[in-house]
């Protein structure tokens, strides 16, 4: 199993818990806003970690395995963000096509 498959499987496993609502909890705007904020924070942390690992590898000769892992996670995060953006744009375009 390559690094991408492993990271994708790990990310999928973590995402499954996010799709199920908590027992007895009703969805509210603040929960959705908090979830979105947490997703953005997680994305930012992942990208910054990849940048730190790349700088460390170039300057101090850090562990190449850690660098590859961090860059693969960063690539997966960017691909996920692009996919979400594309879906939002598609939904917006679909709303624009609705007859009034």
């Amino acid at each position: 199993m390559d690094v991408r498959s492993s990271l994708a499987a790990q990310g999928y496993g973590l995402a499954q818990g996010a799709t199920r609502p908590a027992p007895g909890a009703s969805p509210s705007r603040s929960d959705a806003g908090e979830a979105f904020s947490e997703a953005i924070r997680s994305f930012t942390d992942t990208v910054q970690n990849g940048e730190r690992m790349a700088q460390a590898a170039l300057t101090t000769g850090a562990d190449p395995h850690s660098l590859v892992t961090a860059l693969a996670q960063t690539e997966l995060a960017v691909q996920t963000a692009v996919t979400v953006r594309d879906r939002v744009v598609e939904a917006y375009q679909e709303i624009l096509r609705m007859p009034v």
Side-chain angles (χ1 to χ4, degrees):
M1 182 182 280
D2 65 351
V3 173
R4 286 185 185 181
S5 298
S6 175
L7 292 174
Q10 180 184 9
Y12 179 74
L14 293 173
Q16 282 183 331
T19 59
R20 289 188 297 269
S26 63
S28 68
R29 295 187 89 187
S30 65
D31 291 340
E34 289 173 12
F36 186 70
S37 295
E38 180 60 32
I40 290 175
R41 265 188 245 109
S42 175
F43 172 78
T44 305
D45 292 343
T46 302
V47 171
Q48 288 175 348
N49 183 40
E51 290 176 354
R52 279 193 304 273
M53 289 303 297
Q55 288 175 349
L58 291 173
T59 58
T60 62
D63 181 30
H65 178 68
S66 299
L67 172 64
V68 170
T69 303
L71 292 179
Q73 288 176 341
T74 301
E75 181 180 6
L76 185 62
V78 169
Q79 288 175 351
T80 303
V82 168
T83 301
V84 169
R85 181 211 55 197
D86 290 345
R87 295 285 172 104
V88 168
V89 169
E90 287 175 15
Y92 179 71
Q93 289 173 343
E94 192 68 28
I95 289 171
L96 288 177
R97 282 188 228 128
M98 290 178 145
V100 178

